[in-house]
């Protein structure tokens, strides 16, 4: 038995699963106090199933805590930044492309020091340990507890970052240190950005993990908990506290994994319609297609693994407004749908619940697509307006489908999320529409079924190792990372393997990215 919980901006969903069977589900508006919302959700599925806490072997949580904190610039620590790159690497200083307000809040101090490596691990220059020590003393004097350390080609050989961290710890024992080689991929600037972002969330991560522990203790759940990350796999509590940035965009990823699980489709397009937005993404071999370009979060470019998701402002709480027709046809009825939404206040503000705001949920009830609230409150609603709103919803979704497809071929489309009721019939670009049972809590199911993952992204020399040996080494390293993170060695599978020849580098250099996943050991 396992419980999955997904805390979204509008709703908190929970599901209790026995193996592959869904035993109980729960959905309610997200509370301002997220911890109490998690407790209520877990308690609800336990009560519905009649099971006691001793029956639960693990709890998986998907959360938007850290994404929201960074985007909203709340509870972020100022960061002491060490870049190991001199004599090169000073032309583009850290934080150079960050929004000014974020730079002012996070950019505590910057130190550029000598060191770094070439793509094949050869040193560019020895690590300037004296400069690192000077930076550590300065950070401590300024009261900076969050420290981000990045070095050129650290994913190839992290030893200079690790030595710098040891020096900082010796001189500044309270420092919370993030190393770039543990988070990002090859690209230096985007990897450094992700490292600084993670460091700024370090203190909040400790508090959030502690609150999750407290919530499970209140429920008398004596089992481990895990948090889903943005590639559809899980992290244990210790890893979350160290790398909160890896939870960014885990919500849409959970929905897509849940959609794959419920529909039985591994290659399809998924539309998750929530209360405020619709997230559209592609499933490839049962996992979300990853973004191949730098991802912008809160105005900052990063290169860590992120799902390729298109979000549009359409959800069950989206506002619907009549729009006057063109001058040549003033009697024409047209509408605007979203992008603003009443969000978690849908039960108070939608007309069908007694409010005064016309929402897409009202349109769905008026069109006979859903049953909720008091339909008599919509008795006088113009039928032409209802038809126009449904047409606008179809136009928005079909446009998103076209943007995510990579060919003209129609694809199966899996509709999940509480807002799936907004879709009437099929959609242009869809070979067929699949509405799986329990699709309204697909995100919580995605969290519950998530696996343990490991990834390697490094440059190998085919001239030195040979192609077969290099690929085998990358697979082996990815599998070892997954096993160390808690995966059952017997269930490891290589889900992604990518080769990119680097023609501008000598020695037959090829960048290989390998991703391994496996079932959680002991569950």
């Amino acid at each position: 038995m396992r419980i999955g919980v997904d805390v979204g901006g509008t709703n908190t969903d929970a599901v209790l699963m026995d193996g592959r069977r869904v035993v109980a589900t729960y959905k309610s508006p997200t509370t301002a106090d997220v911890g109490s919302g998690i407790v209520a959700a877990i308690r609800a599925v336990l009560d519905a199933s009649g099971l006691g806490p001793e029956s639960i072997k693990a709890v998986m949580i998907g959360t938007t805590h850290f994404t929201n904190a960074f985007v909203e610039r709340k509870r972020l620590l100022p960061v002491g930044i060490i870049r190991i790159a001199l004599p090169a690497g000073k032309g583009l200083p850290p934080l150079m492309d960050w929004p000014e307000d974020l730079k002012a809040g996070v950019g505590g101090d910057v130190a550029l020091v000598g060191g770094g490596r070439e793509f094949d691990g050869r040193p560019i220059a020895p690590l300037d340990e004296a400069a690192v020590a000077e930076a550590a003393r300065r950070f401590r004097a300024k009261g900076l507890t969050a420290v981000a350390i990045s070095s050129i080609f650290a994913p190839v050989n992290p030893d200079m970052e690790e030595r710098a961290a040891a020096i900082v710890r010796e001189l500044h024992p309270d420092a919370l240190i993030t190393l770039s080689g543990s988070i990002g991929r090859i690209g230096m600037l985007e990897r450094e950005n992700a490292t600084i972002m993670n460091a700024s969330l370090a203190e909040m991560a400790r508090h959030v993990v502690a609150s999750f522990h407290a919530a499970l203790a209140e429920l008398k759940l004596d089992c481990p908990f895990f948090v889903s990350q943005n590639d559809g796999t899980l992290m244990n509590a210790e890893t979350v506290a160290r790398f909160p940035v890896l939870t960014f965009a885990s919500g849409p990823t959970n929905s897509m994994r849940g959609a794959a699980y419920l529909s039985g489709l591994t290659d399809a397009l998924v539309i998750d319609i929530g209360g405020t937005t619709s997230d559209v993404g592609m499933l490839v071999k049962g996992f979300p297609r990853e973004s191949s370009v730098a991802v912008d979060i809160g105005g900052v470019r990063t290169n860590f693994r992120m799902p390729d998701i298109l979000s549009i402002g359409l959800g069950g709480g989206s506002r619907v407004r009549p729009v006057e027709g063109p001058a040549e046809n003033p009697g024409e009825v047209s509408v605007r749908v979203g992008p603003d939404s009443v969000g978690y206040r849908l039960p108070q503000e939608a007309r069908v619940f007694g409010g005064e705001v016309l929402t897409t949920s009202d349109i769905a009830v008026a069109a006979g697509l859903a049953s909720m609230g008091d339909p008599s409150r919509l008795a006088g609603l113009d039928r032409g307006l209802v038809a126009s709103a449904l047409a606008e919803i179809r136009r928005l979704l079909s446009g998103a489908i076209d943007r995510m497809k990579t060919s003209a071929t129609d694809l199966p489309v899996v509709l999940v999320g509480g807002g799936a009721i907004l879709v009437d019939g099929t959609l242009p670009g869809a070979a067929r529409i699949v509405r799986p049972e329990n699709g309204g809590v697909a995100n919580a199911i995605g969290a519950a079924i998530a696996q343990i993952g490991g990834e390697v992204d490094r440059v190998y020399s085919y001239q030195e190792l040979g192609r077969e040996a290099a690929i085998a080494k990358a697979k082996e390293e990815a599998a070892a990372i997954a096993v160390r993170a808690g995966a059952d060695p017997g269930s490891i599978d290589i889900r992604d393997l990518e080769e990119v020849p680097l023609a501008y580098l000598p020695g037959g250099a090829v960048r290989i990215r390998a991703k391994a996943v496996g079932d959680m050991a002991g569950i």
Side-chain angles (χ1 to χ4, degrees):
M1 295 279 187
R2 58 176 68 183
I3 291 176
V5 181
D6 187 273
V7 184
T10 303
N11 290 310
T12 296
D13 300 339
V15 59
L16 192 156
M17 299 187 69
D18 180 6
R20 297 184 62 84
R21 184 171 65 91
V22 176
V23 177
T25 65
Y26 176 78
K27 179 187 284 287
S28 71
T30 293
T31 56
D33 173 11
V34 174
S36 65
I38 292 174
V39 170
I42 294 176
R43 183 168 284 141
V45 293
L46 285 173
D47 290 346
S49 66
L51 295 169
E54 69 282 356
S55 304
I56 307 304
K57 302 300 182 189
V59 174
M60 292 76 169
I61 301 173
T63 177
T64 58
H65 272 85
F66 305 112
T67 313
N68 294 344
F70 194 81
V71 171
E72 297 172 10
R73 281 78 159 136
K74 293 179 178 176
R75 301 176 62 186
L76 303 179
L77 290 176
V79 180
I81 302 164
I82 297 176
R83 178 191 285 181
I84 305 170
L86 295 181
K90 60 183 177 183
L92 301 174
L95 307 171
M96 62 167 291
D97 58 349
W98 285 45
E100 288 301 323
D101 62 333
L102 199 52
K103 187 188 299 185
V106 172
D109 195 352
V110 175
L112 303 181
V113 306
R117 292 188 176 276
E118 299 282 5
F119 75 96
D120 58 0
R122 287 179 292 122
I124 296 172
L127 176 65
D128 187 344
E129 298 192 1
V132 173
E134 180 185 343
R137 294 189 190 95
R138 197 167 67 238
F139 295 165
R140 185 176 184 180
K142 289 184 174 182
L144 299 174
T145 55
V147 176
I149 301 176
S150 55
S151 175
I152 297 176
F153 282 112
V156 175
N157 187 334
D159 64 342
M160 289 194 186
E161 286 192 353
E162 292 169 353
R163 175 57 188 150
I167 294 171
V168 173
R169 284 194 195 94
E170 183 179 345
L171 298 171
H172 189 359
D174 296 331
L176 304 170
I177 303 170
T178 301
L179 305 183
S180 78
S182 304
I183 290 184
R185 294 174 174 169
I186 295 292
M188 175 67 187
L189 293 179
E190 291 84 2
R191 173 162 45 87
E192 181 179 68
N193 284 345
T195 308
I196 298 168
M197 293 164 75
N198 191 79
S200 73
L201 293 164
E203 189 173 79
M204 181 185 176
R206 293 199 302 181
H207 287 302
V208 168
V209 169
S211 72
F212 288 169
H213 275 298
L216 299 192
E218 181 180 340
L219 291 161
K220 301 187 186 321
L221 282 165
D222 185 20
C223 63
F225 79 85
F226 301 86
V227 174
S228 56
Q229 49 185 336
N230 43 33
D231 66 349
T233 59
L234 295 169
M235 295 184 283
N236 58 28
E238 179 188 355
T239 307
V240 178
R242 293 177 57 205
F243 304 119
V245 78
L246 297 181
T247 67
F248 283 14
S250 61
T253 301
N254 285 340
S255 295
M256 295 191 66
R257 290 280 293 140
Y261 180 84
L262 292 171
S263 68
L265 298 174
T266 55
D267 295 277
L269 193 143
V270 175
I271 302 178
D272 177 17
I273 308 179
T276 302
T277 61
S278 294
D279 296 322
V280 186
M282 290 291 300
L283 280 174
V284 179
K285 297 180 181 177
F287 281 79
R289 181 176 68 195
E290 290 191 10
S291 175
S292 59
V293 298
V295 178
D296 185 302
I297 299 174
V300 178
R301 284 166 56 90
T302 71
N303 67 350
F304 49 65
R305 58 201 180 195
M306 293 286 283
D308 185 10
I309 298 291
L310 173 64
S311 294
I312 61 174
L314 170 64
S318 294
R319 294 172 183 260
V320 178
R321 299 180 177 89
V323 178
E324 291 184 7
E328 63 273 16
N329 190 11
E332 181 179 312
V333 178
S334 60
V335 299
R336 187 175 74 191
V337 176
D340 54 334
S341 167
V342 297
Y344 68 90
R345 292 192 55 77
L346 181 69
Q348 291 79 39
E349 298 195 14
R351 286 193 190 180
V352 75
F353 293 118
E356 299 299 327
V357 180
L358 182 62
T359 69
T360 49
S361 289
D362 295 313
I363 297 297
V365 172
L369 302 176
S371 176
M372 66 179 87
D374 180 5
S376 66
R377 291 185 55 80
L378 306 172
L381 201 58
D382 184 277
R383 304 311 298 175
L385 186 148
V386 172
S388 294
L390 291 175
E392 178 63 6
I393 290 169
R394 287 168 55 83
R395 187 190 70 79
L396 291 170
L397 292 175
S398 62
I401 291 173
D402 275 348
R403 290 176 62 183
M404 293 303 292
K405 285 168 51 178
T406 56
S407 74
T409 306
D410 287 351
L411 296 170
V413 172
V414 185
L415 277 181
V416 296
I421 57 172
L422 304 181
V423 179
D424 179 17
T426 187
L427 290 168
R432 59 191 169 101
I433 297 289
V434 179
R435 298 173 185 267
E437 185 180 3
N438 294 313
V441 291
N443 45 7
I445 290 173
I449 64 167
Q451 297 173 295
I452 302 291
E455 182 178 299
V456 164
D457 182 6
R458 291 185 184 165
V459 178
Y460 295 84
S461 171
Y462 279 11
Q463 185 174 307
E464 182 180 328
L465 295 175
R467 178 174 180 272
E468 298 302 321
I471 290 175
K473 186 175 183 181
K475 289 181 176 179
E476 183 181 335
E477 291 178 2
I481 292 171
V483 170
R484 286 200 298 273
D488 178 356
S491 66
I492 292 292
D493 182 30
I494 302 297
R495 289 294 173 91
D496 272 333
L497 183 66
E498 183 179 296
E499 296 175 85
V500 180
L502 304 177
Y504 55 91
L505 295 177
V510 177
R511 176 180 175 182
I512 301 178
R513 186 170 67 86
K515 178 178 175 181
V517 297
D519 295 332
M520 194 181 305
I523 300 295

